[in-house]
Amino acid sequence: MTASKTKALMQITDLEVSIGERKLISDLNLTIRGGESWALLGKNGAGKTTLLHTLARLRPWQGGGIELQGKPIDRLDRREVALSVGLLFQEGLSLVTNTVLESAMLGRYPHQHAWLWDDQADVEIAKAALAEFKLLDLAERRIDTLSGGELQRLALARLLAQSPALFLLDEPSNHLDIAHQLTGLLALRSRVTQDQATMMMATHDINLASRICDHVLLLKEDGAYEAGAAVQVLTENNLASAYDCEIRRIDSDAGVFFTPVISNPTSERMT
Amino acid sequence: MIAFRQILLIGALVLLTICAALFSLLSGSVEVTLADLFSLQSATQSELAQQIIFDIRLPRTAAAFVVGGLLSLAGVIMQVLLRNPLADPYILGVSGGAAVGALSAILLGASSFWLGQGAFLGALFSILLVFFIANGLGHWSVIRLLLTGVVVSAGWGAVINLLLTTSTENTVQSMLFWLMGDLSQSRVSPIHWALLLAGLSGGLYLSRTLNVLVQGDQQALALGVNVTALRLMLYFAASVLTASAVIIAGSVGFVGLVIPHMLRMLGARDHRLLIPSAMLLGGSFLIVADSLARTLIAPQQLPVGVVTALIGVPTFIVILRKSISREA
């Protein structure tokens, strides 16, 4: 594997994250390298969003450390963090009335220095990002006229325009139809990994995770976790203990699928 | 995206400001023609006109422009800071503090110099009071700032009423003029122009960051904005701009609330465009309002705040109805 030779993009050491009294993550040790794609799985309230926000330095953590490209992330300037780490929010875009292109241009904010004028290069990057998500035709439309799926693709395009080294995606498949989920996210993955960047996406969709990501971080009860190559982490046993529900693996000619077994009376149906 | 359309808007507003200034210089009880205005330097027969224009109307026009510009800039900043479209420059109590200072000076029979000093001290006290209460209780949040400001503002309102009810009839008259906003005694100094210019250039410098901040605090943080420091800066900037306007002309209402909204409706949502246009439209709006205030029922003069409110209230209702129907 070349992965072990690549320098660590993010090094997480003994990380502990709690909200109030509740410990969500404890003793998390993880090395994230360039070119990898991670799925972040776990049941509702397991701490997926909180972990992503912590890695983007949006909230403090309770112990351990996070190093970004060899430097402690809490010692970096916010702008330096934003140059390397980008976050797609679960809530999607705020509907402040910009045009689609203006909204995508906001992703260039950490790169821009001039007071007033937009560098043509930045505009081109934003347009290329829109084209990647098939939004270029809508560039001059106001964003409050977009559909939910178009808004989600715009949020992804803005993140692509930001061009960080680490893409943190919170439920990127929200509002996307089943075809866009797969094609959109596969396109994003290939764009991300071809530049030796990395993505980590939190999702409820185990099947989407297994088709898009090569690594999985599976959060379990009480701060425990499994992390590693997708094939090793995505086992019936691991998933059952994480989701508190029996989950069966189905091999088909279209790929591997996981489905909860609902005959178990204690199981909670995932939607 | 600064494009041709945007430059056109700025150009139109510059033209509007020039027209407003000419209108203001030419209107009044003594008739002065455009020809008089342009032959002023050479002609000796219009010495009276010269005096009226340079000594009376021009300083007042300048004051109107500066005050309108300061209030509109402060309004734009307040609306971003509080994430609230109904925020105006006075919402956090700066004008209330200034009014209590000024009214106390009037009550003590002080000269207009001390009236200005009283307003300055009152405003400064109020700015710091709101800051320390909002910040001292823990971390600095929008809702805490807004609540503190509104409560302090209400407190000043009570003190103002107390001062009004305990004053003699003569002083009440001048107090009311001050409270409604009045430019008849206003003169602007180079300091005021410098503050306006500082507000404009500071606003332009931060305009890109403001575009990010209106997307929400979390999104702004994720894009590399130091939100806490920025909010502090915006609070003090808006307060200082508001305080200067209030010290010059009292609490002129509606300019800071309505002008930013009008421009957003005209498509100036990008702060790189909104900030300079707000200054120009706010300035020219107040020039026109003040010209009307001194001519509508001449020889008696209305406080300019009455005129801005009379124009501002219907305009605001129209804007509000339009934005509601667009959301529905």
Side-chain angles (χ1 to χ4, degrees):
Chain A
M1 291 278 280
T2 53
S4 56
K5 288 180 205 148
T6 327
K7 225 174 75 188
L9 173 61
M10 187 173 266
Q11 182 80 49
I12 301 168
T13 319
D14 300 331
L15 185 69
E16 192 185 313
V17 181
S18 351
I19 291 185
E21 296 290 292
R22 213 164 115 222
K23 192 173 281 185
L24 292 172
I25 294 177
S26 64
D27 291 326
L28 175 65
N29 286 283
L30 196 66
T31 306
I32 300 172
R33 298 174 202 281
E36 293 174 346
S37 54
W38 284 80
L40 177 55
L41 299 176
K43 66 177 183 182
N44 292 134
K48 300 187 291 293
T49 297
T50 309
L51 178 60
L52 289 184
H53 285 205
T54 308
L55 299 184
R57 221 199 114 185
L58 297 191
R59 62 187 312 287
W61 58 89
Q62 280 64 44
I66 304 171
E67 283 191 355
L68 176 65
Q69 288 153 338
K71 292 175 202 138
I73 199 170
D74 43 332
R75 296 238 199 92
L76 292 174
D77 186 67
R78 286 214 173 273
R79 195 173 184 128
E80 289 177 83
V81 176
L83 286 170
S84 298
V85 182
L87 176 60
L88 178 86
F89 287 89
Q90 188 176 356
E91 300 80 20
L93 295 180
S94 110
L95 278 183
V96 178
T97 50
N98 301 73
T99 66
V100 168
L101 181 57
E102 282 168 350
S103 186
M105 276 298 288
L106 292 175
R108 296 306 295 165
Y109 174 78
H111 301 267
Q112 291 172 311
H113 291 284
W115 283 27
L116 295 178
W117 309 111
D118 291 321
D119 227 321
Q120 198 51 41
D122 288 317
V123 178
E124 292 309 321
I125 291 171
K127 282 186 173 169
L130 287 177
E132 192 79 46
F133 289 96
K134 306 196 170 43
L135 288 167
L136 197 51
D137 292 342
L138 307 180
E140 295 305 322
R141 279 264 294 275
R142 285 173 53 146
I143 66 170
D144 50 5
T145 66
L146 299 186
S147 75
E150 286 165 339
L151 274 174
Q152 183 69 1
R153 275 148 57 207
L154 176 56
L156 286 163
R158 182 195 284 179
L159 189 65
L160 190 60
Q162 189 183 343
S163 46
L166 178 59
F167 289 70
L168 301 172
L169 311 165
D170 201 351
E171 299 291 348
S173 57
N174 271 356
H175 303 288
L176 296 184
D177 61 51
I178 199 160
H180 270 117
Q181 286 186 6
L182 202 58
T183 56
L185 294 177
L186 279 173
L188 181 67
R189 189 196 67 183
S190 62
R191 265 301 305 268
V192 166
T193 49
Q194 90 191 11
D195 300 335
Q196 280 301 298
T198 301
M199 63 186 248
M200 176 179 271
M201 63 176 217
T203 179
H204 288 296
D205 189 337
I206 306 170
N207 296 315
L208 194 64
S210 83
R211 291 177 80 165
I212 289 179
C213 301
D214 47 29
H215 288 72
V216 172
L217 172 57
L218 178 63
L219 301 179
K220 295 179 172 179
E221 213 66 62
D222 299 322
Y225 67 93
E226 300 282 340
V231 282
Q232 281 156 18
V233 177
L234 293 177
T235 63
E236 288 180 347
N237 275 344
N238 278 339
L239 290 170
S241 72
Y243 288 98
D244 217 2
C245 153
E246 192 185 338
I247 289 178
R248 194 158 299 157
R249 175 188 162 122
I250 300 165
D251 291 273
S252 80
D253 53 356
V256 177
F257 295 93
F258 297 90
T259 184
V261 180
I262 53 171
S263 60
N264 184 337
T266 63
S267 72
E268 278 175 67
R269 249 187 111 158
M270 308 301 298
T271 47
Chain B
M1 252 55 42
I2 304 283
F4 180 68
R5 203 155 32 108
Q6 273 85 341
I7 295 168
L8 210 65
L9 177 63
I10 298 278
L13 288 172
V14 171
L15 207 65
L16 178 69
T17 307
I18 294 169
C19 292
L22 284 177
F23 173 66
S24 165
L25 292 178
L26 296 181
S27 54
S29 49
V30 175
E31 196 161 316
V32 180
T33 64
L34 206 57
D36 286 335
L37 194 61
F38 285 111
S39 59
L40 278 178
Q41 305 299 337
S42 53
T44 47
Q45 79 269 29
S46 56
E47 204 170 299
L48 179 68
Q50 190 164 355
Q51 239 174 23
I52 287 172
I53 287 186
F54 281 106
D55 296 348
I56 300 174
R57 291 186 193 163
L58 187 61
R60 189 161 170 169
T61 306
F65 180 77
V66 170
V67 170
L70 286 170
L71 288 176
S72 303
L73 286 175
V76 170
I77 298 174
M78 263 326 170
Q79 286 163 9
V80 176
L81 174 68
L82 298 175
R83 294 182 63 75
N84 190 329
L86 289 177
D88 79 352
Y90 306 139
I91 196 165
L92 296 183
V94 177
S95 64
V100 168
L103 264 48
S104 309
I106 295 174
L107 194 64
L108 297 171
S111 66
S112 69
F113 170 77
W114 285 106
L115 198 150
Q117 301 302 305
F120 171 75
L121 287 178
L124 185 70
F125 178 71
S126 185
I127 293 169
L128 295 176
L129 184 70
V130 169
F131 169 72
F132 282 114
I133 297 175
N135 204 30
L137 292 173
H139 89 287
W140 171 263
S141 78
V142 172
I143 190 76
R144 185 167 286 160
L145 177 62
L146 187 60
L147 283 175
T148 311
V150 168
V151 166
V152 168
S153 207
W156 290 132
V159 179
I160 289 167
N161 285 336
L162 189 69
L163 290 174
L164 284 173
T165 47
T166 54
S167 301
T168 60
E169 211 167 297
N170 258 350
T171 44
V172 165
Q173 175 77 13
S174 51
M175 282 177 174
L176 283 179
F177 250 70
W178 200 90
L179 284 174
M180 285 183 278
D182 172 38
L183 285 156
S184 57
Q185 307 297 321
S186 303
R187 293 292 176 269
V188 285
S189 66
I191 298 174
H192 299 126
W193 282 103
L195 269 168
L196 183 66
L197 211 64
L200 175 68
S201 42
L204 281 174
Y205 179 69
L206 288 176
S207 55
R208 213 191 271 286
T209 310
L210 297 180
N211 288 342
V212 177
L213 188 65
V214 296
Q215 303 292 313
D217 285 8
Q218 294 279 301
Q219 179 71 73
L221 279 172
L223 284 171
V225 176
N226 191 340
V227 172
T228 312
L230 180 65
R231 283 198 181 287
L232 275 181
M233 197 164 24
L234 293 179
Y235 171 69
F236 281 105
S239 301
V240 168
L241 296 177
T242 307
S244 337
V246 171
I247 290 164
I248 301 170
S251 312
V252 179
F254 281 96
V255 180
L257 178 64
V258 168
I259 299 295
H261 283 298
M262 276 173 150
L263 287 163
R264 286 196 194 95
M265 291 195 65
L266 287 170
R269 295 175 305 268
D270 189 323
H271 288 85
R272 292 175 283 176
L273 187 62
L274 180 57
I275 283 183
S277 350
M279 188 199 77
L280 290 169
L281 186 61
S284 43
F285 175 73
L286 201 56
I287 291 176
V288 172
D290 184 53
S291 311
L292 295 176
R294 58 194 167 80
T295 52
L296 276 182
I297 54 161
Q300 212 194 326
Q301 303 209 349
L302 291 165
V304 68
V306 171
V307 180
T308 55
L310 285 179
I311 308 174
V313 171
T315 316
F316 192 67
I317 290 170
V318 170
I319 293 172
L320 210 59
R321 286 184 60 88
K322 275 197 174 174
S323 64
I324 288 168
S325 64
R326 188 156 5 113
E327 273 163 32

